[in-house]
């Protein structure tokens, strides 16, 4: 006879039955039952459709998030879900494809559905703070499921600060790739690395920021998730391209609405009538039929990601997407055609188009320009004078063992430039007389074609040799006009100059903590720019007579610039080298021993960047022209050199420039 089976439930009429006999007991039991029910097993995309709300503060399309709006993001988000075995997700993409919101969806999913420590990295700490205000705070405030898990910042001991958000079971820490302390702050199961191609080469000189951040996740082994996202930059130095090429290189294949052939969209298949970008249509790889913009929603909905390569690491998947896939209402094919036509003829605009529209790297031309051809382009204007198009002066100083070489450059609209003077101070940094001569140079002026006297707005001096002496001199003359700089290898298009940072200096044999201010310069960026400007095609003499202008960025050299100086200006070339892991990188190598002219050009260009020339609005340029009596909007000095009616203002210009807000 079997033993009675206990169901662990009270018999009718027992005392426990009386406990549930009160108003609201049924609701209490239902709530208790819901608490015991496991959360539904959601992917990141399913969570987003169910819980994510877009704020009008952070989105052009506020309201409930809909993955169907950008269906290509579904697989990317789902690869970030805990149920997917992928550990590293790489996304090389164009602008305006919805990547930022997908990353924010992942953050929301972690807070609500899969809590754990999470690290979100922006290129700089300042950008991390801005992203927190403009993206993360609205993400939490507008989604009820998140708002109830993150206490308001104003609440006492809320754990909700600008760069840290506590939630049950985890914490979101936000930092910048320029902060080694932030990257080493904690172990992290989840790591979100946004715009990795804008990261500095090293975080506080402690190593690659991507490597430092990823190291925080290694203790979580197979449970970790790392999401690397970026618009690419330059072939050979792009982090996101390197990671994508090591992955399975997935492309989004969509069907042709006419023949059904699956294909991934290539810019070469987009055709339009020249000068009429509104006629743009995509032509099918298989049937050659034109595909109109209105076909795009159905194509995207039926699309699928397909791997196109064998990955080096099976735990990494990679996705690439161009703006050709942007959904209707965002960036149309006509917009892309218009951007391409606008960029024609400008290397810089072409680079931006390739990076931000096609989501592809730019191939930097690193061959040194032909110095003989540059010598043939030398121009004649009065020695020691500034042509009319030059609106302010900067200098670059290179410190050598036995001398200090200085080049003075004039800058105009569109970064058109003129070499004004070349000064060699003999004796080197060990002699006080050398520094006295350099100080005297700061007080010199050069006559402008309009009659004004132009002084140096800023002198950038290299700190690579006799650093203490350079700091001491800069302290003595003031950091308002002298800018100590340190060159760093690698490209940085977002901010080729950073700083200033306070560094220790020595004065009178005593160490001064934070006694100097140092700027860091991505020298590769300015070297490549200089070579690109030197290659620009120029108008013929007849075209100049007819009113043609030199293109923006044109470099003008005077007749007194000798062949030795020109050879120094073209003394390096950009070559591709491979490291032990087989990854390619770009590196500048000397073609000849002396390259002081190129270095001085880079430092003078950095001084112009520090002065703000890359960020000035039209009003500032017009103001400079008005002060010098130059016709507003003038882009070439050819017709103004030596004209007596060009203006007769004799005010020394460096005084006015030095007082401009944001310069010093």
């Amino acid at each position: 006879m079997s033993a009675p089976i206990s169901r662990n439930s009270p018999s009718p009429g027992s005392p426990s039955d009386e406990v549930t006999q009160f108003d609201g007991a049924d609701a209490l039991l239902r709530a208790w039952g819901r608490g015991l029910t496991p959360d539904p097993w959601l992917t990141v995309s399913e969570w987003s459709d169910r819980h994510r709300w877009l704020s009008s503060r952070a989105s052009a399309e506020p309201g409930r998030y809909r993955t169907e709006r950008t269906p290509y993001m579904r697989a990317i988000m789902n690869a970030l879900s805990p149920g997917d075995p992928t550990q590293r997700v790489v996304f090389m993409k164009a602008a305006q494809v919805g990547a930022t919101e997908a990353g924010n969806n992942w953050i929301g999913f972690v807070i609500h559905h899969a809590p754990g420590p999470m690290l979100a990295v922006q290129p700089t700490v300042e950008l991390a703070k801005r992203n927190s205000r403009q993206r993360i705070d609205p993400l939490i405030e507008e989604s009820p499921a998140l708002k109830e898990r993150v206490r308001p910042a104003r609440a006492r001991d809320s754990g909700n600060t600008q760069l840290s958000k506590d939630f049950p079971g985890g914490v979101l820490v936000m930092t910048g790739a320029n902060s080694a302390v932030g990257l080493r702050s904690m172990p992290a199961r989840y790591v979100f690395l946004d715009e990795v191609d804008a990261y500095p080469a090293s975080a506080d000189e402690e190593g690659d920021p991507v490597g430092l951040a990823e190291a925080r996740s290694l203790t979580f082994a197979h449970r970790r998730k790392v999401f690397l996202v970026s618009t690419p930059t330059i072939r050979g130095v792009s982090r996101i391209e390197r990671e994508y090429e090591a992955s399975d290189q997935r492309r989004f294949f969509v069907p042709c609405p006419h023949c059904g052939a699956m294909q991934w969209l290539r810019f070469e298949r987009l055709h339009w009538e020249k000068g009429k970008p509104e006629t743009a249509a995509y032509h099918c790889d298989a049937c050659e039929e034109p595909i109109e913009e209105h076909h795009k929603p159905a194509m995207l909905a039926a699309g699928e990601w397909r791997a196109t390569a064998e990955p080096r690491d099976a735990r990494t998947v990679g996705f690439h997407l161009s703006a050709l896939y942007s959904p209707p209402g965002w960036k149309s094919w006509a917009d892309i055609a218009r951007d391409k036509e606008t960029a024609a003829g400008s290397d810089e605009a072409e680079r931006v188009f390739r990076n931000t529209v096609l989501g592809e790297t730019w191939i930097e031309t690193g061959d040194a320009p032909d110095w003989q051809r540059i010598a043939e382009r030398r121009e004649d204007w009065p020695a020691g004078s500034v042509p009319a198009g030059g609106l302010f002066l900067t200098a670059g100083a290179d410190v050598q063992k036995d001398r200090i070489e200085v080049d003075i450059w004039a800058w105009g609209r569109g970064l058109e430039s003129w070499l004004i003077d070349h000064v060699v101070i003999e004796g080197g940094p060990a002699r006080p007389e050398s520094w006295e001569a350099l100080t005297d140079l700061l007080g010199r002026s050069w006559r402008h074609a309009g009659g004004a006297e132009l002084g140096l707005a800023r002198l950038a001096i290299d700190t690579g040799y006799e650093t203490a002496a350079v700091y001491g001199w800069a302290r003595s003359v003031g950091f308002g006009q002298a800018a100590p700089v340190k060159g760093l290898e690698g490209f940085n298009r977002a901010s080729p100059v950073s700083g200033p940072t306070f560094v220790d200096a020595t004065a009178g044999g005593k160490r001064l903590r934070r006694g100097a201010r140092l700027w860091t310069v991505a020298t590769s960026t300015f070297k490549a720019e200089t070579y690109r400007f030197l290659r620009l095609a120029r108008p013929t003499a007849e075209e100049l007579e007819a009113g043609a202008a030199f293109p923006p960025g044109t470099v003008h050299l005077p007749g007194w610039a000798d062949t030795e100086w020109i050879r120094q200006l073209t003394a390096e070339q950009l070559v591709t080298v491979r490291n032990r892991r087989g990854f390619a990188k770009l590196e500048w190598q000397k073609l000849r021993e002396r390259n002081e002219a190129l270095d001085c050009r880079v430092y003078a260009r950095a001084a112009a960047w520090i002065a703000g020339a890359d960020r000035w609005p039209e009003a500032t340029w017009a103001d400079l022209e008005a002060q010098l009596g130059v016709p507003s909007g003038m882009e070439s000095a050819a017709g103004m050199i030596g004209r007596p009616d060009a203006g007769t203002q004799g005010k020394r210009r460096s005084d006015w420039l030095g007082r401009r807000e944001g310069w010093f």
Side-chain angles (χ1 to χ4, degrees), residues 17 20 179 264 392 394 478 608 626:
D17 194 40
T20 61
S179 170
W264 65 273
F392 71 99
T394 67

Side-chain angles (χ1 to χ4, degrees), residues 247-410:
S247 73
D248 56 0
Q249 300 181 32
R250 300 185 184 188
R251 303 277 191 175
F252 197 63
F253 284 71
V254 294
C256 170
H258 306 298
C259 69
M262 297 294 287
Q263 59 203 284
W264 65 273
L265 303 183
R266 298 172 174 85
F267 175 70
E268 293 74 19
R269 306 297 301 175
L270 188 68
H271 301 308
W272 66 93
E273 295 180 35
K274 187 176 180 179
K276 296 181 179 180
E278 65 277 4
T279 63
Y282 191 90
H283 288 249
C284 173
D285 273 346
C287 68
E288 294 289 342
E289 286 294 317
I291 302 172
E292 303 297 335
E293 185 81 21
H294 65 83
H295 290 122
K296 196 186 291 186
M299 295 169 65
L300 294 179
E304 61 183 39
W305 287 99
R306 295 180 182 178
T308 62
E310 287 293 326
R312 297 177 188 173
D313 182 355
R315 300 167 299 179
T316 299
V317 298
F319 302 86
H320 175 266
L321 202 76
S322 73
L324 290 167
Y325 293 91
S326 290
W330 290 14
K331 195 172 190 68
S332 68
W333 289 337
D335 292 335
I336 294 173
R338 189 173 294 107
D339 289 348
K340 176 62 177 176
E341 288 198 343
T342 303
S346 168
D347 275 0
E348 188 64 19
E350 288 277 8
R351 182 192 65 80
V352 172
F353 176 81
R354 181 169 290 275
N355 290 166
T356 63
V357 177
L358 303 186
E360 298 175 357
T361 50
W362 169 257
I363 301 176
E364 195 70 71
T365 303
D367 293 336
D370 183 358
W371 71 268
Q372 292 176 318
R373 185 178 182 187
I374 293 173
E376 293 171 355
R377 289 179 167 182
R378 286 175 293 187
E379 307 166 31
D380 290 323
W381 66 80
S385 67
V386 183
L391 303 180
F392 71 99
L393 304 180
T394 67
D398 186 28
V399 181
Q400 301 287 328
K401 183 178 181 179
D402 59 349
R403 67 194 184 282
I404 301 175
E405 298 214 12
V406 187
D407 283 336
I408 292 87
W409 287 86

Side-chain angles (χ1 to χ4, degrees), residues 3-82:
I5 299 176
S6 172
R7 299 296 182 188
N8 230 16
S9 59
S11 59
S14 66
S16 61
D17 194 40
E18 299 176 1
V19 176
T20 61
Q21 303 304 313
F22 61 88
D23 292 341
D26 291 341
L28 178 62
L29 289 173
R30 285 195 299 271
W32 181 68
R34 286 196 302 271
L36 294 178
T37 303
D39 289 335
W41 188 262
L42 299 177
T43 63
V44 174
S45 65
E46 290 170 341
W47 179 91
S48 305
D49 289 336
R50 184 176 300 188
H51 296 288
R52 177 77 197 280
W53 288 83
L54 299 174
S55 167
S56 57
R57 291 166 51 192
S59 174
E61 298 181 1
R64 184 179 290 279
Y65 182 89
R66 295 176 295 127
T67 304
E68 65 182 19
R69 188 78 169 97
T70 54
Y72 45 76
M73 294 305 306
R74 188 184 308 277
I76 299 175
M77 290 191 287
N78 289 349
L80 297 168
S81 305

Side-chain angles (χ1 to χ4, degrees), residues 20 104 246 382 435 589:
T20 61
N104 291 339
W435 297 111
Q589 295 182 356

Side-chain angles (χ1 to χ4, degrees), residues 39 82 106-118 149 166-172 189-190 220 223:
D39 289 335
W106 184 41
I107 292 175
F109 174 87
V110 168
I111 294 174
H112 182 204
H113 208 64
M118 186 174 200
R149 284 166 171 76
D166 289 353
F167 51 89
V171 59
L172 169 64
R189 179 182 175 184
Y190 308 105
F220 288 89
R223 296 187 299 139

Side-chain angles (χ1 to χ4, degrees), residues 52-210:
R52 177 77 197 280
W53 288 83
L54 299 174
S55 167
S56 57
R57 291 166 51 192
S59 174
E61 298 181 1
R64 184 179 290 279
Y65 182 89
R66 295 176 295 127
T67 304
E68 65 182 19
R69 188 78 169 97
T70 54
Y72 45 76
M73 294 305 306
R74 188 184 308 277
I76 299 175
M77 290 191 287
N78 289 349
L80 297 168
S81 305
D84 192 288
T86 302
Q87 292 185 24
R88 300 174 79 250
V89 179
V90 177
F91 189 20
M92 184 169 76
K93 50 84 179 181
Q96 300 187 46
V97 295
T100 300
E101 292 304 338
N104 291 339
N105 289 344
W106 184 41
I107 292 175
F109 174 87
V110 168
I111 294 174
H112 182 204
H113 208 64
M118 186 174 200
L119 180 65
V121 184
Q122 293 288 325
T124 66
V125 173
E126 285 304 313
L127 286 176
K129 292 178 180 178
R130 186 188 307 170
N131 184 71
S132 178
R133 293 192 305 268
Q134 298 180 352
R135 298 282 188 177
I136 305 304
D137 286 346
L139 163 72
I140 295 170
E141 293 168 5
E142 299 296 330
S143 300
L146 304 180
K147 191 173 184 179
E148 65 184 17
R149 284 166 171 76
V150 181
R151 298 178 63 188
R154 59 182 176 274
R156 185 176 181 181
D157 299 326
S158 66
N160 182 347
T161 65
Q162 192 171 41
L163 293 178
S164 179
K165 309 291 183 185
D166 289 353
F167 51 89
V171 59
L172 169 64
V173 173
M174 293 162 280
T175 189
N178 59 340
S179 170
V181 173
L183 297 175
R184 291 188 277 101
S185 61
M186 65 172 194
R189 179 182 175 184
Y190 308 105
V191 180
F192 180 17
L193 305 173
D194 197 13
E195 290 301 337
V196 296
D197 270 19
Y199 288 5
S202 179
D204 295 334
E205 300 186 2
E206 292 193 21
D208 178 32
V210 173

